[in-house]
Amino acid sequence: EEKYKAAGIELNDKSNCLLVKDREDVIALCLFELDSKGITVLHLEPADDIALADFTLRSSLHIAAERCTMDARFADSAPFDTLQKLGFVLDKENKTLDIDKLFKSCCGCGE
């Protein structure tokens, strides 16, 4: 709940939070909504460490994929520049993410 408040995003029954920790310190996070229809990325940190952002986003999308939910989207509150830099934006206008990228190399390397 505190992570949602800090990001200025309302909590609801679909709200989820993935935290990446180094011991007790949170070093990355992804706030997202997940239901049987899909996942919507609401917030992603950090923006300044692309490899860590990639890991955090992939981990969140993996949760959806494990639940057989392959429709991935992003909200206006999500960091578009980071998502685009990571190569996950499929369609900017429809706000869709390429969840199939989970099964490809990270950070654009080796593709």
Side-chain angles (χ1 to χ4, degrees):
E1 185 176 348
E2 80 179 56
K3 301 299 182 193
Y4 272 79
K5 281 184 183 178
I9 300 171
E10 268 190 57
L11 197 65
N12 63 47
D13 61 335
K14 297 183 232 174
S15 298
N16 286 270
C17 177
L18 178 119
L19 300 176
V20 180
K21 290 184 163 188
D22 180 9
R23 294 186 175 86
E24 294 303 313
D25 298 326
V26 175
I27 60 171
L29 67 90
C30 183
L31 304 178
F32 58 95
E33 292 182 348
L34 180 65
D35 62 19
S36 61
K37 295 178 186 173
I39 183 172
T40 303
V41 174
L42 306 171
H43 183 78
L44 178 66
E45 295 178 18
D48 61 345
D49 185 333
I50 201 70
L52 187 54
D54 186 82
F55 170 80
T56 306
L57 179 61
R58 284 175 182 270
S59 297
S60 300
L61 294 175
H62 180 74
I63 292 169
E66 282 292 307
R67 295 185 180 161
C68 299
T69 301
M70 298 299 285
D71 181 49
R73 301 185 176 277
F74 60 93
D76 289 334
S77 58
F80 176 77
D81 291 343
T82 302
L83 297 172
Q84 188 171 33
K85 192 181 293 184
L86 293 171
F88 275 93
V89 175
L90 191 60
D91 185 331
K92 180 180 177 179
E93 285 185 30
N94 292 316
K95 297 183 177 153
T96 57
L97 296 172
D98 184 6
I99 199 167
D100 289 333
K101 187 168 168 51
L102 277 178
F103 310 106
K104 300 174 185 171
S105 297
C106 66
C107 301
C109 54
E111 291 187 69

